[in-house]
Amino acid sequence: MAAMKHFGMNVASDAVFPSVYIGATGGLVYVCADDPGMNSSGTEPDSRHFAPHMKMPMLEPADSQECKDFTKRAFELSEQFDTPFMLRTTVRVNHGSSIVTLEDRVEVPVKHYERDIMKNTNIPALARNKHKTVEERLVRLQEFSNETDLNRVELHDTKIGVICAGICYQYAREVFGDGASYLKLGFTYPMPDRKIREFAAQVDKLYVLEELDPFIEDYVRGLGIECTGKAVLPLYLEYSADIIRRALGLPGVSAAYEAPVQAPVRPASFCAGCPHRGIYHEISKYNGKIVATGDIGCYALNINPPFSVTHTQIDMGGSITAGHGFERVERFAQRGLKVFSFIGDSTFFHSGITGLINAVYNGAKTSIFILDNSTTGMTGHQDNPVTGVTLMKDVTTAVDIKTLVLGCGVKPENVRTVDPYDLKATAAVVKEAYEAEDLFVVIVRQPCALLKSVIAHRKGQHCRVNADKCRSCKVCINKTACPALTVGENGVSISTEDCNGCTICQQICPFGAIEKEGE
């Protein structure tokens, strides 16, 4: 099983496509989690389209029980039909929790392996015949889709019929209850054409409820069946029972409880003690003189004040490649803008190395900042190759970023390593990067402030404000946006619970009013 969100499926598709032609001797399942509403994503594509695009069967669970059961079924069906299966979920199903019924684990022996180039290689001469096999398999899968209990009909009031899948089944039940009948699809590709026709013939009015694209609706209409869906429902963001009620012109439901006050809006910012704060404080002094291409990670928060540095954020690894493109344009435009590119350590290992090699090979003159905070901070503090620890917490070889950068061909005299807590040293390195006339790489190294090892090491360390020296100018707050700093009736203060003694505010204070305590 390989699990990923929609962005991951985009990247993995290069391998997933040929795996459908090869098939799966044992079970092979791709879990793809979509993010309607873009809760933690830059786009909200509908990954269901991968199923017909790749000709790969797909299951969609609607709750925690089905997530468990459908995963097991996906492995069984994958082996039965000799094809990978896609298990597509969405954010609300993934983030939900509910009681599940467990079953005894079934141990499946490892399959016998033997060399079989007819099956396991996709050279053109062999792949041509496999395409025919794939199409014949889809015919069998559609017949299975019509028969399986993964697609079930719930008949109640037949004035209204609802076809739905995944979380929209839960919303539909909340909206209509037993006042409608349901065709709940769990096996959504190939879709059950016969079962859809039979269900549609039993109801007076048919709705298709689905988030994002009209994937099911288009198929139903293709069968010549009239239905209501995206004509009234939005093509974007997450649904809710209330959104569906309003779209269908149904009366709303009063909230059971309303909060007496609204929580204040809190703009996203770097954590207290975040090492990214130091590097972006110094780089922000060059705003207006640089084009800054960003990447995917916590450091993307530098787009906000007071730093306001990054111009672009596209995809993982896009900072180096987009920066290379910008720099080529700058040679023609001669606007006098230097190109800075920012990428985290884990993102660099994931998608940045090929971009760096391309930049070296093609003579780019950008300055690349690799922000090594020794973790994958934005998605859960997973280890990465720089930490020397695997995801299973086994000790392994740590990959040294500097050695790797040099191995990619960057000249040794154009590589620097700096501690972003040291603003003076950081300012000097940023100046070098700005003035560099060749490809320049800066490794910004300081571990994430939220790592348990860092918290333990810095226990008892924090900064404090000397009230006698403080002029309440708020430069420390305005220049760092550190959440440990607050201002009240008695002036600026620092939360010792949040502060880890990074001293960035101390170095910025123009009156020497901030002092560090603890070692």
Side-chain angles (χ1 to χ4, degrees), residues 6-328:
H6 54 271
F7 287 139
M9 181 59 80
N10 295 340
V11 177
S13 62
D14 187 39
V16 176
F17 267 97
S19 74
V20 175
Y21 273 43
I22 288 174
T25 302
L28 175 56
V29 177
Y30 300 111
V31 179
C32 180
D34 276 2
D35 190 12
M38 296 179 282
N39 297 273
S40 61
S41 306
T43 62
E44 53 174 356
D46 193 329
S47 296
R48 292 179 296 175
H49 294 291
F50 273 117
H53 190 33
M54 296 176 172
K55 302 183 183 297
M56 177 171 59
M58 175 172 61
L59 304 182
E60 290 191 68
D63 55 31
S64 303
Q65 182 73 53
E66 288 189 349
C67 283
K68 184 185 77 70
D69 294 343
F70 282 22
T71 302
K72 181 178 179 180
R73 293 287 294 276
F75 277 112
E76 293 169 349
L77 293 171
S78 173
E79 193 168 317
Q80 177 182 337
F81 287 96
D82 190 21
T83 182
F85 261 69
M86 178 175 168
L87 187 74
R88 188 254 189 177
T89 65
T90 57
V91 61
R92 204 53 47 197
V93 173
N94 295 335
H95 287 203
S97 297
S98 58
I99 295 172
V100 300
T101 301
L102 301 178
E103 298 172 337
D104 292 337
R105 179 183 176 88
V106 177
E107 294 293 342
V108 180
V110 176
K111 295 294 181 182
H112 173 70
Y113 173 77
E114 60 183 31
R115 181 173 182 263
D116 185 351
I117 62 170
M118 297 294 290
K119 176 177 175 58
N120 297 325
T121 62
N122 272 348
I123 61 173
L126 301 180
R128 293 187 191 104
N129 290 328
K130 290 181 183 180
H131 188 185
K132 179 183 176 184
T133 300
V134 169
E135 299 296 345
E136 292 171 345
R137 183 170 61 207
L138 284 175
V139 173
R140 299 198 310 275
L141 283 163
Q142 184 167 45
E143 186 57 32
F144 176 83
S145 182
N146 277 302
E147 297 170 353
T148 179
D149 60 353
L150 293 166
N151 296 324
R152 71 171 187 262
V153 174
E154 300 176 7
L155 282 179
H156 304 289
D157 191 326
T158 58
K159 290 186 178 66
I160 294 175
V162 180
I163 300 178
C164 50
I167 193 63
C168 283
Y169 169 74
Q170 310 293 356
Y171 297 149
R173 290 291 306 177
E174 186 175 344
V175 170
F176 295 107
D178 289 343
S181 295
Y182 304 91
L183 172 54
K184 181 193 174 299
L185 299 178
F187 195 113
T188 49
Y189 185 79
M191 273 190 268
D193 55 345
R194 190 172 66 250
K195 187 169 283 189
I196 290 172
R197 284 194 173 96
E198 292 171 353
F199 177 74
Q202 292 177 285
V203 299
D204 299 334
K205 183 171 181 59
L206 183 64
Y207 291 108
V208 177
L209 303 184
E210 56 186 328
E211 291 175 327
L212 301 180
D213 295 341
F215 182 82
I216 300 172
E217 181 183 348
D218 285 349
Y219 185 81
V220 172
R221 291 186 180 278
L223 295 175
I225 300 170
E226 184 59 35
C227 59
T228 298
K230 296 302 177 182
V232 295
L233 287 157
L235 285 158
Y236 44 83
L237 304 182
E238 270 194 286
Y239 286 0
S240 66
D242 192 51
I243 287 173
I244 293 171
R245 287 191 188 98
R246 292 200 306 267
L248 301 183
L250 302 174
V253 176
S254 300
Y257 174 79
E258 292 186 4
V261 295
Q262 293 294 318
V265 176
R266 297 194 302 170
S269 65
F270 293 130
C271 301
C274 177
H276 299 327
R277 182 171 281 108
I279 185 67
Y280 286 114
H281 169 73
E282 293 303 330
I283 289 175
S284 67
K285 298 174 183 178
Y286 291 82
N287 284 346
K289 300 178 182 179
I290 62 172
V291 172
T293 56
D295 222 293
I296 308 299
C298 300
Y299 44 90
L301 293 172
N302 78 80
I303 64 175
N304 296 324
F307 312 107
S308 304
V309 170
T310 288
H311 293 203
T312 72
Q313 185 202 44
I314 305 169
D315 65 340
M316 294 186 77
S319 59
I320 297 178
T321 51
H324 185 188
F326 265 108
E327 188 266 331
R328 297 288 292 218

Side-chain angles (χ1 to χ4, degrees), residues 363-435:
K365 301 182 186 301
T366 56
S367 288
I368 299 169
F369 293 78
I370 303 174
L371 310 181
D372 175 9
N373 64 351
S374 300
T375 190
T376 310
M378 190 169 70
T379 58
H381 279 181
Q382 299 93 335
D383 285 289
N384 67 57
V386 79
T387 68
V389 180
T390 71
L391 294 179
M392 303 307 292
K393 300 303 178 183
D394 296 325
V395 176
T396 185
T397 301
V399 179
D400 181 67
I401 293 178
K402 182 176 181 180
T403 302
L404 180 56
V405 166
L406 294 174
C408 290
V410 181
K411 298 174 183 176
E413 61 269 25
N414 289 339
V415 180
R416 300 287 183 275
T417 301
V418 69
D419 178 355
Y421 283 170
D422 185 341
L423 294 188
K424 185 176 180 180
T426 300
V429 168
V430 171
K431 185 174 184 293
E432 279 191 275
Y434 179 74
E435 295 175 349

